[in-house]
Amino acid sequence: MALYIDSAFLHDIMEVAETIPVAGVTTNPTILLAARERGQNLSPHNVLSELLRSINGTMFMQPGATEDEKMYQEALTYIQVEPHRVIPKIPMTQIGMRVARRLKQQQYRIAFTAVTSISQAYSAAMVEADFIIPYYGRLERSGVNAADRISEMADVLHNAGAPTRILAASIKSREDASRTLLAGAHDLTVAPHVLLEMVTDPLSEEAIERFTQDWQKMNKM
């Protein structure tokens, strides 16, 4: 099991990485745009270079191109920066499937992103995708029980004997994280503020506050 930071804003990433034992970072065009809108004026490749320099682990980068050859070439430009540490997130579409098959034939690791259905999960497993990325929050907003869907995906992958891991995204709260893990997700990618919330709990804080008070009393005796 692993935790990833779902962000491209370097300040937030570095802050969280000091506290949480993360396995890497996931990004996508929307996340990169959000970082740009917050004043981080870096190209996607510059963001990737900074992440590789500053954070241990795996970096997920998603091509923005929508045509076969352009998507393939863009994915390669990310992979070739550091083949052992960069995984392209390929959209789960017919074009994405063709691109993913080319990359797998070259022995590159790949992740399919925006996987929403059981048949998509099974198709990804047949390509021997290393990861599938379902969006918990987006599934819920569409009216799908996200925990049930992820559980079904986990069953299909298990029954197929596939090595494909479920890396769940769009985790909006500690409760989302708990439900996703109980449903069978192998890994989570989570926004920085939610990652920090995941290591806290009101009952824990209450107990620790009592310990602090008693420690102070003991030292006055």
Side-chain angles (χ1 to χ4, degrees):
M1 301 176 76
L3 286 170
Y4 295 86
I5 305 175
D6 200 25
S7 177
F9 194 67
L10 297 174
H11 177 271
D12 290 353
I13 291 168
M14 304 310 171
E15 186 175 68
V16 170
E18 291 179 356
T19 302
I20 307 296
V22 295
V25 177
T26 64
T27 71
N28 61 40
T30 301
I31 287 173
L32 289 163
L33 174 61
R36 181 74 62 90
E37 290 173 342
R38 290 180 64 184
Q40 180 176 280
N41 191 26
L42 296 174
S43 71
H45 277 87
N46 286 338
V47 170
L48 176 59
S49 295
E50 287 296 317
L51 290 174
L52 290 168
R53 184 179 63 83
S54 305
I55 301 291
N56 292 325
T58 303
M59 308 303 156
F60 291 78
M61 299 292 291
Q62 182 174 330
T66 57
E67 299 175 11
D68 289 54
E69 188 61 28
K70 289 182 179 180
M71 185 186 295
Y72 171 74
Q73 292 297 336
E74 187 179 348
L76 279 182
T77 66
Y78 290 134
I79 293 169
Q80 290 169 351
V81 174
E82 181 55 80
H84 299 295
R85 293 184 59 199
V86 179
I87 297 178
K89 293 171 62 179
I90 306 300
M92 176 48 85
T93 62
Q94 292 180 14
I95 291 174
M97 182 63 73
R98 291 194 290 271
V99 170
R101 291 183 67 187
R102 289 179 68 183
L103 293 170
K104 287 302 292 184
Q105 287 166 2
Q106 295 175 271
Q107 306 300 311
Y108 293 124
R109 293 185 294 167
I110 64 106
F112 276 113
T113 194
V115 175
T116 61
S117 71
I118 307 305
S119 61
Q120 287 177 325
Y122 187 76
S123 299
M126 294 303 97
V127 183
E128 298 185 344
D130 299 271
F131 295 88
I132 59 170
I133 305 177
Y135 294 154
Y136 186 96
R138 184 167 296 179
L139 285 168
E140 286 285 312
R141 290 192 297 274
S142 72
V144 174
N145 185 309
D148 285 351
R149 181 61 54 83
I150 289 171
S151 178
E152 292 163 350
M153 291 179 181
D155 286 344
V156 165
L157 295 177
H158 175 76
N159 293 338
T164 305
R165 298 180 69 83
I166 298 174
L167 170 56
S170 190
I171 307 297
K172 304 301 183 185
S173 66
R174 291 175 297 187
E175 293 73 25
D176 283 358
S178 298
R179 286 188 285 267
T180 305
L181 290 170
L182 289 171
H186 301 97
D187 311 302
L188 302 179
T189 182
V190 186
H193 72 282
V194 179
L195 272 173
L196 292 174
E197 289 174 1
M198 285 173 59
V199 300
T200 65
D201 186 87
L203 289 177
S204 298
E205 299 294 337
E206 181 181 330
I208 293 165
E209 177 59 26
R210 175 61 185 271
F211 296 149
T212 300
Q213 292 173 0
D214 289 347
W215 177 259
Q216 293 171 345
K217 288 179 183 178
M218 185 181 68
N219 285 332
K220 293 178 180 179
M221 294 177 67

